[in-house]
Amino acid sequence: MPMLKEIVVLAKPERVPFYKLLGLQNVVPVDKGTVALKIGELKTRKDLAAILVEESIAREANIDVLSLNEKGLGPVITTIPDAKPFLEADPRNLYAKFISRVIGYQLGV
């Protein structure tokens, strides 16, 4: 039987209960000063499928999650829109950038 992989959410402390109410069990409180260290620690775990980082924290800490996914095997790292500007943004730009990094060139749609 294949091993089930887990998802970890890195969130601001005040939003941890929200993610737990959504049913996510592994929610770690972080801030802009600790998020990079925590990502580095989690990136080496083989039992994780994904690391979800609140977009506002990633931006405050100047973390480019797309470049983190290029550095070896491990869980996928992505952001969760958590503030109005991020919730209103068109996600196609992020996914187009992600796809172009994965396949090596930009696709036109």
Side-chain angles (χ1 to χ4, degrees):
M1 181 173 197
M3 182 175 89
L4 294 177
K5 301 246 180 174
E6 298 180 30
I7 295 173
V8 173
V9 177
L10 302 180
K12 290 184 178 177
E14 64 270 15
R15 287 200 275 266
V16 168
F18 169 73
Y19 292 109
K20 290 195 175 214
L21 283 172
L22 291 177
L24 296 160
Q25 299 303 311
N26 295 324
V27 185
V28 179
V30 293
D31 58 31
K32 73 176 186 175
T34 60
V35 67
L37 182 63
K38 187 51 78 173
I39 289 172
E41 178 185 308
L42 294 170
K43 183 89 171 119
T44 62
R45 288 185 40 190
K46 300 200 183 307
D47 63 326
L48 295 182
I51 301 168
L52 310 178
V53 183
E54 286 188 327
E55 193 162 357
S56 63
I57 296 172
R59 296 244 179 147
E60 289 171 10
N62 293 320
I63 294 174
D64 178 10
V65 295
L66 294 179
S67 67
L68 292 175
N69 287 307
E70 295 172 351
K71 297 178 181 169
L73 298 174
V76 172
I77 302 171
T78 191
T79 57
I80 302 172
D82 64 318
K84 188 173 181 179
F86 308 128
L87 291 167
E88 292 175 344
D90 186 355
R92 289 180 286 190
N93 294 331
L94 172 71
Y95 293 117
K97 187 176 176 182
F98 180 71
I99 290 168
S100 70
R101 285 189 180 190
V102 170
I103 64 172
Y105 59 91
Q106 183 71 37
L107 293 175
V109 179

